Amino acid sequence: MDRQSSQNTPLEIYHGVPSGWSKAEIVSLHKALGGSFEIDSGEASEPGAPSWMPDRYNWLQYRKSLHEIGNGIKKGDKACIELAIRYIKIDYFGSYSGFIKERLARLLKPQELSKQQIARLKSYFKHLVKNKRCLQEFREYKKLVNRIQLSENA
């Protein structure tokens, strides 16, 4: 099988929104998880996606929502932390997804994670290694695992 790339991933998938991750779904799940940080900061209208993208509007809303999840992580919002872990674990490959996953992993490092969250992340990272799916974001994953291991040994 060819290595996954932007050239061999269908345009509507690579430049789309992963299933279950529309802005409305993210905001709803955040609320259901008891989130306190306001992640619905209005409509994204900034440039950042070319006009030819298949679902440009929804993609911009999805990307902005994940950026707000990152801002919530900085504030220690437990729902944002959980959503970041879930996003990392869906292993979505698409436009900007590597940068999003890198940022979320970087922001998770100083946060207190539950034993279950730690176990889920470690299991997922082992899965990536086993299946040789260590893409650009994996270097941040390694740093996150190192931080987890340090806190477990403390």
Side-chain angles (χ1 to χ4, degrees), residues 5-40:
S5 72
S6 59
Q7 288 79 30
N8 65 16
T9 302
L11 182 71
E12 64 278 357
I13 293 173
Y14 186 75
H15 293 292
V17 175
S19 178
W21 289 89
S22 69
K23 176 182 179 175
E25 290 166 316
I26 293 169
V27 169
S28 176
L29 186 53
H30 179 259
K31 183 178 180 181
L33 290 169
S36 58
F37 183 81
E38 181 58 57
I39 63 167
D40 189 357

Side-chain angles (χ1 to χ4, degrees), residues 77-92:
D77 183 284
K78 299 292 185 194
C80 289
I81 291 168
E82 177 60 26
L83 285 169
I85 292 167
R86 291 181 186 189
Y87 183 77
I88 287 169
K89 286 193 67 205
I90 66 168
D91 198 22
Y92 176 69

